[in-house]
Amino acid sequence: MFSQTVLVALLAAVVEARFGQEQGNGAITAIGALTNLGTSGQAATLAGGSIQFLLAAANPCGKLTQADNIISELGTSAEAVAAARGLVAAEQNFNPFVVSIPSICSDPTLPKSAELRGVVPLIDPAVGGQDIENANSAKSIVTPFDATGLSVAQVMIAQGFSNFTAVDAAGTKVAASTLGGATSDASTGSANSSAGSSSVAAASSVAPVASAPAGTDCIPSTTMVTVTRAAVATSSECAAAVTVTVEASAAPSAPASSVASASAAPVATGAASGAAAGTCTGSGQTLVCSSPAVGAGKVSDPVTGTFGGFQASTIAGLDFGLCVPTMKFELGLNGRSATAGTFQAQDPLCNKGQEEALNPAIITNRIHDQMTNACGANQAAKDAITAAQAMIVALGTRDQTTAEAFNTALGFAGVNTNPDNAPQTGLVGHV
């Protein structure tokens, strides 16, 4: 009896661990992090309601309908599209002790949102051919495949994977081999989603935005962020290589004559730099700030942490106002285990009052909000952060490379992601 109990407990633990991993691509938490979209509590409701569609017994078409709901309720901003794509691509709970292959939606009308079509899901590593499909899934989040007239199941077949059971919206199951659909080499499938499917643009790319801070005569800025991921050759557990390319046209800050003398320098504790602070005019959406002197706001504090002071982005046209929008990844912050890594904004003006987080999307969202609330960044900088947020969701990683990718996308390549040399006793890591 004892051995049987242990065996049952072990099997349950294995299944539970897989389900935890299946949510680990950030789908649920990314949806819940969209607190700046929709009405109060709407993102949290959508996130909580999405969990049921990842359960093993759920119809796989359900999560596609739920992803459509995210778009219809929260809009088509880059971050909303990225979160919805994350749900489409999420691995549905899978118990290899009960079935040997996953179930995939065969309804060609789902998802209905153009922004979500062509995205294919991750599958369990125990399934034959998972290396092909999981590499395809990683690609499709950034550059969706051509899905014209095809279901998700048919898109997967067209890209070289058919080891699954097809299920329609009514729950009827058929073998994947019975489905129609064009076939193509999985290694070249992404090429199909080019000019012919311009409506399915990558969420981690930002279309040209022509805007300028209110009250200025600035030339409209254009920011383009492109993210590519190398195919995963062996296992879905392996980290994919990431290339980030950012191009931005010059976008001048507000004319000096429009900048008031009142400063809004960040409050720093411990040893702080006396370098000149930036100056600001306006408030909220109209807040525009000039950049402080290099090194302004430098902090070295054993509790709140270390910040090297102000530095400008190396990307022309990205003006983050008073702030440095970099993210750190450190172990043991705020009383956590010395092996528990969490994310936090490095600049005290961005991290003030924000707890460290296991989910990087929470911190990138905070940094984005502070660009308007406290930093006085220009529109090009805000757009670049929105694109970087989508990129982080698409990556699905939660380690040092995540922070490095975010920082690099904003023009801060090489910034130390562990400035506090953590773990350190008593280190909280934020103001």
Side-chain angles (χ1 to χ4, degrees):
M1 178 63 70
F2 175 75
S3 60
Q4 183 179 17
T5 301
V6 171
L7 177 58
V8 171
L10 177 60
L11 295 181
V14 170
V15 173
E16 181 179 2
R18 280 299 308 153
F19 185 55
Q21 179 175 348
E22 286 146 13
Q23 294 188 81
N25 73 327
I28 302 302
T29 49
I31 297 166
L34 301 176
T35 54
N36 59 319
L37 303 177
T39 58
S40 177
Q42 194 169 16
T45 299
L46 286 167
S50 297
I51 296 175
Q52 62 182 306
F53 300 110
L54 298 182
L55 299 177
N59 186 314
C61 296
K63 70 171 182 174
L64 304 185
T65 299
Q66 180 71 355
D68 280 329
N69 291 338
I70 294 170
I71 295 297
S72 63
E73 294 185 31
L74 300 184
T76 57
S77 67
E79 53 191 331
V81 171
R85 284 186 178 179
L87 181 60
V88 174
E91 179 186 338
Q92 190 167 339
N93 191 23
F94 178 88
N95 186 349
F97 302 109
V98 177
V99 292
S100 59
I101 56 176
S103 295
I104 305 297
C105 182
S106 62
D107 187 333
T109 68
L110 295 175
K112 298 182 183 300
S113 305
E115 297 86 355
L116 306 181
R117 294 192 63 80
V119 177
V120 295
L122 295 165
I123 61 167
D124 192 283
V127 177
Q130 59 82 24
D131 53 339
I132 294 175
E133 176 55 26
N134 288 336
N136 286 344
S137 178
K139 293 177 185 177
S140 71
I141 293 177
V142 178
T143 306
F145 296 109
D146 182 14
T148 305
L150 302 178
S151 66
V152 172
Q154 289 171 311
V155 173
M156 291 170 67
I157 293 172
Q159 303 310 318
F161 179 78
S162 59
N163 191 19
F164 60 83
T165 299
V167 183
D168 65 17
T172 303
K173 299 181 179 181
V174 298
S177 59
T178 66
L179 299 181
T183 58
S184 67
D185 189 333
S187 65
T188 60
S190 61
N192 294 327
S193 57
S194 53
S197 57
S198 59
S199 63
V200 192
S204 53
S205 297
V206 173
V209 178
S211 57
T216 75
D217 297 319
C218 299
I219 299 174
S221 63
T222 299
T223 303
M224 180 66 71
V225 178
T226 304
V227 181
T228 59
R229 295 188 67 178
V232 182
T234 56
S235 167
S236 63
E237 308 296 331
C238 300
V242 179
T243 300
V244 180
T245 304
V246 183
E247 297 177 359
S249 62
S253 300
S257 61
S258 69
V259 180
S261 60
S263 73
V267 178
T269 59
S273 166
T279 54
C280 301
T281 184
S283 62
Q285 294 292 337
T286 65
L287 179 66
V288 178
C289 299
S290 64
S291 299
V294 174
K298 182 178 181 180
V299 175
S300 180
D301 188 283
V303 176
T304 62
T306 299
F307 173 56
F310 180 82
Q311 67 178 102
S313 170
T314 60
I315 300 175
L318 301 191
D319 184 350
F320 296 98
L322 301 176
C323 300
V324 180
T326 51
M327 182 165 61
K328 62 186 178 182
F329 177 78
E330 295 183 332
L331 303 177
L333 290 181
N334 205 12
R336 293 176 183 264
S337 163
T339 60
T342 53
F343 297 90
Q344 182 56 277
Q346 295 195 21
D347 192 327
L349 194 54
C350 291
N351 72 36
K352 184 177 182 180
Q354 171 65 55
E355 296 288 332
E356 71 287 343
L358 294 167
N359 178 13
I362 293 174
I363 301 304
T364 60
N365 187 63
R366 167 69 173 194
I367 293 174
H368 179 274
D369 289 348
Q370 289 297 86
M371 292 301 110
T372 296
N373 298 337
C375 302
N378 70 4
Q379 189 62 47
K382 295 175 185 178
D383 293 339
I385 291 181
T386 297
Q389 287 179 280
M391 176 195 69
I392 293 303
V393 173
L395 290 178
T397 56
R398 297 189 177 191
D399 54 30
Q400 178 183 333
T401 64
T402 310
E404 290 173 344
F406 181 78
N407 296 342
T408 298
L410 301 180
F412 298 91
V415 167
N416 186 1
T417 56
N418 183 11
D420 302 309
N421 195 29
Q424 298 287 344
T425 301
L427 177 65
V428 174
H430 63 85
V431 179

